[in-house]
mmCIF file of all heavy atoms in Angstrom:
data_model
loop_
_atom_site.group_PDB
_atom_site.id
_atom_site.type_symbol
_atom_site.label_atom_id
_atom_site.label_comp_id
_atom_site.label_asym_id
_atom_site.label_seq_id
_atom_site.Cartn_x
_atom_site.Cartn_y
_atom_site.Cartn_z
ATOM 1 N N VAL A 1 -7.205 1.785 0.910
ATOM 2 C CA VAL A 1 -6.027 1.860 1.813
ATOM 3 C C VAL A 1 -5.291 3.153 1.459
ATOM 4 O O VAL A 1 -5.057 3.472 0.344
ATOM 5 C CB VAL A 1 -5.137 0.605 1.625
ATOM 6 C CG1 VAL A 1 -3.748 0.808 2.340
ATOM 7 C CG2 VAL A 1 -5.822 -0.627 2.095
ATOM 8 N N VAL A 2 -4.951 3.869 2.517
ATOM 9 C CA VAL A 2 -4.273 5.153 2.362
ATOM 10 C C VAL A 2 -2.748 4.926 2.377
ATOM 11 O O VAL A 2 -2.153 4.626 3.377
ATOM 12 C CB VAL A 2 -4.659 6.149 3.483
ATOM 13 C CG1 VAL A 2 -4.010 7.512 3.189
ATOM 14 C CG2 VAL A 2 -6.146 6.276 3.572
ATOM 15 N N ALA A 3 -2.168 4.924 1.170
ATOM 16 C CA ALA A 3 -0.743 4.460 0.994
ATOM 17 C C ALA A 3 0.212 5.251 1.804
ATOM 18 O O ALA A 3 1.198 4.693 2.348
ATOM 19 C CB ALA A 3 -0.386 4.544 -0.483
ATOM 20 N N ASP A 4 0.075 6.541 1.953
ATOM 21 C CA ASP A 4 1.037 7.334 2.744
ATOM 22 C C ASP A 4 0.730 7.279 4.221
ATOM 23 O O ASP A 4 1.523 7.886 4.996
ATOM 24 C CB ASP A 4 1.194 8.761 2.219
ATOM 25 C CG ASP A 4 -0.098 9.591 2.287
ATOM 26 O OD1 ASP A 4 -1.216 8.961 2.507
ATOM 27 O OD2 ASP A 4 0.004 10.767 2.091
ATOM 28 N N ALA A 5 -0.272 6.573 4.649
ATOM 29 C CA ALA A 5 -0.589 6.356 6.034
ATOM 30 C C ALA A 5 -0.532 4.859 6.342
ATOM 31 O O ALA A 5 -1.201 4.370 7.263
ATOM 32 C CB ALA A 5 -1.935 6.910 6.420
ATOM 33 N N ALA A 6 0.242 4.160 5.549
ATOM 34 C CA ALA A 6 0.440 2.682 5.776
ATOM 35 C C ALA A 6 1.912 2.327 5.463
ATOM 36 O O ALA A 6 2.458 2.902 4.517
ATOM 37 C CB ALA A 6 -0.536 1.899 4.881
ATOM 38 N N SER A 7 2.447 1.426 6.250
ATOM 39 C CA SER A 7 3.781 1.013 5.997
ATOM 40 C C SER A 7 4.100 -0.300 6.613
ATOM 41 O O SER A 7 3.244 -0.905 7.332
ATOM 42 C CB SER A 7 4.813 2.119 6.382
ATOM 43 O OG SER A 7 6.086 1.863 5.908
ATOM 44 N N SER A 8 5.302 -0.779 6.422
ATOM 45 C CA SER A 8 5.829 -2.022 7.035
ATOM 46 C C SER A 8 7.242 -1.809 7.428
ATOM 47 O O SER A 8 7.826 -0.694 7.208
ATOM 48 C CB SER A 8 5.803 -3.145 5.969
ATOM 49 O OG SER A 8 4.479 -3.460 5.595
ATOM 50 N N ARG A 9 7.878 -2.817 7.987
ATOM 51 C CA ARG A 9 9.292 -2.676 8.405
ATOM 52 C C ARG A 9 10.184 -2.452 7.180
ATOM 53 O O ARG A 9 11.166 -1.723 7.204
ATOM 54 C CB ARG A 9 9.758 -3.902 9.215
ATOM 55 C CG ARG A 9 9.139 -3.877 10.620
ATOM 56 C CD ARG A 9 9.316 -5.208 11.278
ATOM 57 N NE ARG A 9 8.301 -6.139 10.694
ATOM 58 C CZ ARG A 9 8.574 -7.409 10.265
ATOM 59 N NH1 ARG A 9 9.752 -7.889 10.508
ATOM 60 N NH2 ARG A 9 7.645 -8.136 9.714
ATOM 61 N N GLN A 10 9.862 -3.141 6.089
ATOM 62 C CA GLN A 10 10.681 -3.112 4.843
ATOM 63 C C GLN A 10 9.907 -2.399 3.734
ATOM 64 O O GLN A 10 8.739 -2.829 3.447
ATOM 65 C CB GLN A 10 11.105 -4.476 4.407
ATOM 66 C CG GLN A 10 11.886 -5.249 5.428
ATOM 67 C CD GLN A 10 13.263 -4.589 5.701
ATOM 68 O OE1 GLN A 10 13.884 -4.093 4.760
ATOM 69 N NE2 GLN A 10 13.664 -4.550 6.965
ATOM 70 N N PRO A 11 10.496 -1.444 3.029
ATOM 71 C CA PRO A 11 9.833 -0.774 1.926
ATOM 72 C C PRO A 11 9.379 -1.752 0.854
ATOM 73 O O PRO A 11 8.281 -1.556 0.277
ATOM 74 C CB PRO A 11 10.909 0.204 1.348
ATOM 75 C CG PRO A 11 11.824 0.410 2.482
ATOM 76 C CD PRO A 11 11.807 -0.869 3.332
ATOM 77 N N ALA A 12 10.108 -2.776 0.605
ATOM 78 C CA ALA A 12 9.695 -3.764 -0.454
ATOM 79 C C ALA A 12 8.384 -4.494 -0.075
ATOM 80 O O ALA A 12 7.628 -4.762 -0.986
ATOM 81 C CB ALA A 12 10.816 -4.788 -0.671
ATOM 82 N N SER A 13 8.136 -4.664 1.198
ATOM 83 C CA SER A 13 6.896 -5.279 1.634
ATOM 84 C C SER A 13 5.718 -4.352 1.404
ATOM 85 O O SER A 13 4.642 -4.795 0.984
ATOM 86 C CB SER A 13 6.970 -5.637 3.112
ATOM 87 O OG SER A 13 7.950 -6.590 3.363
ATOM 88 N N VAL A 14 5.962 -3.063 1.538
ATOM 89 C CA VAL A 14 4.893 -2.071 1.266
ATOM 90 C C VAL A 14 4.575 -2.111 -0.248
ATOM 91 O O VAL A 14 3.408 -2.132 -0.630
ATOM 92 C CB VAL A 14 5.315 -0.647 1.686
ATOM 93 C CG1 VAL A 14 4.239 0.377 1.348
ATOM 94 C CG2 VAL A 14 5.665 -0.616 3.174
ATOM 95 N N ASP A 15 5.550 -2.048 -1.036
ATOM 96 C CA ASP A 15 5.372 -2.092 -2.489
ATOM 97 C C ASP A 15 4.538 -3.300 -2.926
ATOM 98 O O ASP A 15 3.634 -3.235 -3.746
ATOM 99 C CB ASP A 15 6.693 -2.066 -3.257
ATOM 100 C CG ASP A 15 7.457 -0.814 -3.033
ATOM 101 O OD1 ASP A 15 6.863 0.286 -2.615
ATOM 102 O OD2 ASP A 15 8.718 -0.805 -3.291
ATOM 103 N N LEU A 16 4.905 -4.494 -2.440
ATOM 104 C CA LEU A 16 4.193 -5.722 -2.760
ATOM 105 C C LEU A 16 2.731 -5.658 -2.241
ATOM 106 O O LEU A 16 1.857 -6.037 -3.006
ATOM 107 C CB LEU A 16 4.913 -6.922 -2.120
ATOM 108 C CG LEU A 16 6.249 -7.392 -2.758
ATOM 109 C CD1 LEU A 16 6.909 -8.415 -1.928
ATOM 110 C CD2 LEU A 16 5.953 -7.871 -4.176
ATOM 111 N N ALA A 17 2.562 -5.117 -1.059
ATOM 112 C CA ALA A 17 1.237 -5.008 -0.524
ATOM 113 C C ALA A 17 0.373 -4.112 -1.362
ATOM 114 O O ALA A 17 -0.821 -4.463 -1.709
ATOM 115 C CB ALA A 17 1.241 -4.523 0.887
ATOM 116 N N LEU A 18 0.830 -2.919 -1.733
ATOM 117 C CA LEU A 18 0.023 -2.024 -2.521
ATOM 118 C C LEU A 18 -0.277 -2.590 -3.939
ATOM 119 O O LEU A 18 -1.442 -2.405 -4.389
ATOM 120 C CB LEU A 18 0.755 -0.657 -2.615
ATOM 121 C CG LEU A 18 0.985 0.107 -1.299
ATOM 122 C CD1 LEU A 18 1.741 1.364 -1.530
ATOM 123 C CD2 LEU A 18 -0.358 0.413 -0.629
ATOM 124 N N ALA A 19 0.642 -3.280 -4.483
ATOM 125 C CA ALA A 19 0.375 -3.908 -5.819
ATOM 126 C C ALA A 19 -0.647 -5.002 -5.690
ATOM 127 O O ALA A 19 -1.592 -5.065 -6.503
ATOM 128 C CB ALA A 19 1.717 -4.497 -6.377
ATOM 129 N N ARG A 20 -0.588 -5.822 -4.640
ATOM 130 C CA ARG A 20 -1.518 -6.853 -4.475
ATOM 131 C C ARG A 20 -2.903 -6.298 -4.132
ATOM 132 O O ARG A 20 -3.948 -6.853 -4.628
ATOM 133 C CB ARG A 20 -1.110 -7.829 -3.342
ATOM 134 C CG ARG A 20 -2.035 -8.997 -3.187
ATOM 135 C CD ARG A 20 -1.414 -10.067 -2.315
ATOM 136 N NE ARG A 20 -2.422 -11.100 -2.131
ATOM 137 C CZ ARG A 20 -2.388 -11.966 -1.143
ATOM 138 N NH1 ARG A 20 -1.428 -11.849 -0.218
ATOM 139 N NH2 ARG A 20 -3.302 -12.861 -0.983
ATOM 140 N N LEU A 21 -2.983 -5.245 -3.292
ATOM 141 C CA LEU A 21 -4.267 -4.636 -2.982
ATOM 142 C C LEU A 21 -4.976 -4.164 -4.237
ATOM 143 O O LEU A 21 -6.185 -4.346 -4.334
ATOM 144 C CB LEU A 21 -4.038 -3.493 -2.012
ATOM 145 C CG LEU A 21 -3.735 -3.943 -0.579
ATOM 146 C CD1 LEU A 21 -3.217 -2.742 0.223
ATOM 147 C CD2 LEU A 21 -4.875 -4.600 0.127
ATOM 148 N N GLN A 22 -4.279 -3.557 -5.129
ATOM 149 C CA GLN A 22 -4.882 -3.066 -6.354
ATOM 150 C C GLN A 22 -5.490 -4.155 -7.218
ATOM 151 O O GLN A 22 -6.562 -4.006 -7.830
ATOM 152 C CB GLN A 22 -3.889 -2.228 -7.171
ATOM 153 C CG GLN A 22 -3.600 -0.906 -6.472
ATOM 154 C CD GLN A 22 -2.552 -0.063 -7.209
ATOM 155 O OE1 GLN A 22 -1.481 -0.620 -7.566
ATOM 156 N NE2 GLN A 22 -2.846 1.150 -7.397
ATOM 157 N N THR A 23 -4.865 -5.317 -7.205
ATOM 158 C CA THR A 23 -5.364 -6.448 -7.990
ATOM 159 C C THR A 23 -6.579 -7.074 -7.304
ATOM 160 O O THR A 23 -7.315 -7.856 -7.927
ATOM 161 C CB THR A 23 -4.339 -7.549 -8.269
ATOM 162 O OG1 THR A 23 -3.886 -8.105 -7.050
ATOM 163 C CG2 THR A 23 -3.127 -6.912 -9.014
ATOM 164 N N ALA A 24 -6.806 -6.736 -6.053
ATOM 165 C CA ALA A 24 -7.892 -7.345 -5.206
ATOM 166 C C ALA A 24 -9.088 -6.360 -5.092
ATOM 167 O O ALA A 24 -9.928 -6.541 -4.237
ATOM 168 C CB ALA A 24 -7.359 -7.705 -3.845
ATOM 169 N N ALA A 25 -9.124 -5.355 -5.954
ATOM 170 C CA ALA A 25 -10.188 -4.365 -6.003
ATOM 171 C C ALA A 25 -10.235 -3.421 -4.833
ATOM 172 O O ALA A 25 -11.274 -2.867 -4.527
ATOM 173 C CB ALA A 25 -11.589 -5.094 -6.153
ATOM 174 N N VAL A 26 -9.092 -3.255 -4.138
ATOM 175 C CA VAL A 26 -9.007 -2.307 -3.120
ATOM 176 C C VAL A 26 -8.449 -1.029 -3.716
ATOM 177 O O VAL A 26 -7.471 -1.074 -4.489
ATOM 178 C CB VAL A 26 -8.021 -2.780 -1.971
ATOM 179 C CG1 VAL A 26 -7.756 -1.708 -0.963
ATOM 180 C CG2 VAL A 26 -8.525 -4.050 -1.329
ATOM 181 N N ALA A 27 -9.123 0.110 -3.451
ATOM 182 C CA ALA A 27 -8.616 1.379 -3.922
ATOM 183 C C ALA A 27 -7.401 1.822 -3.092
ATOM 184 O O ALA A 27 -7.436 1.706 -1.873
ATOM 185 C CB ALA A 27 -9.698 2.475 -3.782
ATOM 186 N N VAL A 28 -6.355 2.195 -3.796
ATOM 187 C CA VAL A 28 -5.163 2.688 -3.093
ATOM 188 C C VAL A 28 -5.131 4.222 -3.352
ATOM 189 O O VAL A 28 -5.127 4.728 -4.457
ATOM 190 C CB VAL A 28 -3.865 2.044 -3.612
ATOM 191 C CG1 VAL A 28 -2.646 2.716 -2.993
ATOM 192 C CG2 VAL A 28 -3.911 0.520 -3.325
ATOM 193 N N VAL A 29 -5.195 4.973 -2.201
ATOM 194 C CA VAL A 29 -5.318 6.409 -2.248
ATOM 195 C C VAL A 29 -4.223 6.995 -1.397
ATOM 196 O O VAL A 29 -3.522 6.277 -0.694
ATOM 197 C CB VAL A 29 -6.715 6.894 -1.791
ATOM 198 C CG1 VAL A 29 -7.818 6.315 -2.683
ATOM 199 C CG2 VAL A 29 -7.004 6.542 -0.350
ATOM 200 N N ASN A 30 -4.119 8.308 -1.362
ATOM 201 C CA ASN A 30 -3.238 8.985 -0.362
ATOM 202 C C ASN A 30 -4.084 9.875 0.508
ATOM 203 O O ASN A 30 -5.298 9.938 0.353
ATOM 204 C CB ASN A 30 -2.029 9.709 -1.030
ATOM 205 C CG ASN A 30 -2.503 10.934 -1.854
ATOM 206 O OD1 ASN A 30 -3.587 11.477 -1.701
ATOM 207 N ND2 ASN A 30 -1.583 11.361 -2.726
ATOM 208 N N THR A 31 -3.481 10.436 1.522
ATOM 209 C CA THR A 31 -4.217 11.214 2.490
ATOM 210 C C THR A 31 -4.982 12.343 1.861
ATOM 211 O O THR A 31 -6.173 12.549 2.140
ATOM 212 C CB THR A 31 -3.244 11.791 3.581
ATOM 213 O OG1 THR A 31 -2.610 10.694 4.227
ATOM 214 C CG2 THR A 31 -3.980 12.644 4.630
ATOM 215 N N GLU A 32 -4.354 13.133 0.942
ATOM 216 C CA GLU A 32 -5.077 14.189 0.314
ATOM 217 C C GLU A 32 -6.239 13.723 -0.511
ATOM 218 O O GLU A 32 -7.305 14.376 -0.505
ATOM 219 C CB GLU A 32 -4.099 14.964 -0.601
ATOM 220 C CG GLU A 32 -3.131 15.838 0.181
ATOM 221 C CD GLU A 32 -2.334 16.742 -0.714
ATOM 222 O OE1 GLU A 32 -2.896 17.354 -1.637
ATOM 223 O OE2 GLU A 32 -1.125 16.883 -0.498
#
């Protein structure tokens, strides 16, 4: 999941999503 190309209505929801994704074996990357 490209973190700087993903978002939600609330920043806290994004933070929770990225943390959960990492524990689920999803690589969290940025565009570069």
Side-chain angles (χ1 to χ4, degrees):
V1 169
V2 185
D4 59 348
S7 193
S8 297
R9 288 165 287 134
Q10 299 297 320
S13 297
V14 179
D15 295 341
L16 287 170
L18 296 177
R20 185 167 175 204
L21 287 166
Q22 289 177 312
T23 65
V26 174
V28 175
V29 300
N30 68 18
T31 300
E32 287 190 41

